[in-house]
Amino acid sequence: MITVSMLSFTLADFSMVYWFVYFQYYWFSELTVLKHISLFCFLVAIVYTAIDVWNPFTFNSMLMGGALSVIFLLGFEFFLLGVRHQTEYLPAFIDVSILAYLLVEFIDLTVLALMIWLTGMGFATSLCGTLVELVLNNIVLALVASGLWLTRAPMENLIQSMLGRPTEYLFLAFMSALATVYILFEYSLQSLNNSAQYLFFLGGVAGTLVIGLSLSTYMLMQTHLQAQHTQMQSQQQAFREQYAAELNRQMGVVRKFQHDYQNMLVGLGGYLEDQDYAGFRQLYIDIRSGWETSNAADLTVEDLENVPSVGLRFQLYHNYLLAQRAGVQLYVQVPEPLTATVTTVKKMGQLVDETLPALLPVLSRQQPALVTFELRETAKQLRWLLTFPIPKDARLDGHHRVTSNQGILDFSNVHENLPAKATSTLQLKLHWGQLMVALPKSDGRLGG
């Protein structure tokens, strides 16, 4: 068993826990308690190290010494998830925690084994050797964190899509079994005499697990992205067919009007030529009474070019056509190009599809029958503002419903489907009401 001084143990413990917690929350920016993730990791590492140092089993029982502190750390994190009503992230969070543990262990064991091999056991276990090892560890882990930056948006998207599905729990069972076997194997080898000889072997096992799990996650991510791409293509095809059908209908109306327009001119010209003004007036009245208010779409997909997500763009246009058919004029405003994350934009599209169509029957009875949909963006939030007219007898029933003699506008499903840290506000003025939904933006930038 390798032994070091108390100071070396404390420094190594702090460094390892800092990076472990950092990689735990690397793809869960919405779960962090503090605004700055580094500060949160720093504070957790200090508390964990203090408990580990003061734990009487730390230097007497390897299994009990490490297990108690880890149980405290994970219990604290699970408690935070429960208090903040984010338990749906628990399976994915445990998966990422296992991967983070194996990654940190692999790098630490590899660096330590190389130092023992190059400099000897005496220097590697000294305070100076510990400092050198920690410097190398931090450099490698910082490089790994930088290299994983481009995976943040795809991983966030994958995690969100797997929440609550059976695949998520199968993956959790697989990861938990591997982690349990590895931990028991690690403690068994470290308890042996001359355990330094097993460090290369143990590091190789950890490295194999890290690479295997990373490749499995990568293939799962690619499969998910391919399925999502196929779904988006079929969705785009359906919306384009709908758009083309609307354009064809309008073109048919235009061609019919062109033919009728020529007949109208001929008829009106004939009455003028015969100076039959009574007949001219009657024909004009007949023509005017036959006109119908056009429900042609004034909005086109090209008008939504400020929305970078193709899926959300077609969702907005689809809801626009639904509003037209219900007799409601929907105005869509996207004043500036959006730069929100994939997850945020996707959640916004889900909220739109779950909310707006259900409101159209009631909005069609309002005077005037119109609604304004506006997307605004700040540095930290993506905001959706839905502004609609209300009758004089409208009143706010609770926090999520507007009641009047013309019907009930129920926005409770919006509040129920909001993710963590998102907010919804419903307010009424004299002649209009407004719903504002604010979704927090995570760190990964939007891609496609």
Side-chain angles (χ1 to χ4, degrees), residues 342-369:
V342 173
T343 302
T344 304
V345 173
K346 181 180 178 181
K347 188 60 181 179
M348 180 63 73
Q350 292 174 350
L351 290 174
V352 172
D353 281 347
E354 293 171 357
T355 304
L356 193 55
L359 303 177
L360 294 178
V362 179
L363 292 175
S364 64
R365 297 193 290 269
Q366 306 287 358
Q367 291 298 327

Side-chain angles (χ1 to χ4, degrees), residues 101-178:
Y101 169 76
L102 292 174
L103 174 64
V104 174
E105 278 285 301
F106 166 62
I107 293 175
D108 181 66
L109 288 173
T110 302
V111 173
L112 179 58
L114 288 174
M115 285 193 60
I116 293 176
W117 181 52
L118 294 174
T119 64
M121 178 68 75
F123 178 78
T125 56
S126 66
L127 177 60
C128 184
T130 300
L131 293 176
V132 173
E133 179 201 352
L134 293 181
V135 170
L136 295 176
N137 279 349
N138 282 274
I139 292 175
V140 175
L141 289 168
L143 291 175
V144 171
S146 301
L148 291 176
W149 178 261
L150 294 178
T151 68
R152 300 193 73 171
M155 276 296 290
E156 287 179 1
N157 205 6
L158 175 64
I159 290 170
Q160 290 288 339
S161 66
M162 290 180 62
L163 291 179
R165 295 188 177 182
T167 308
E168 181 182 31
Y169 296 99
L170 289 175
F171 196 59
L172 173 62
F174 173 70
M175 294 279 284
S176 300
L178 287 181

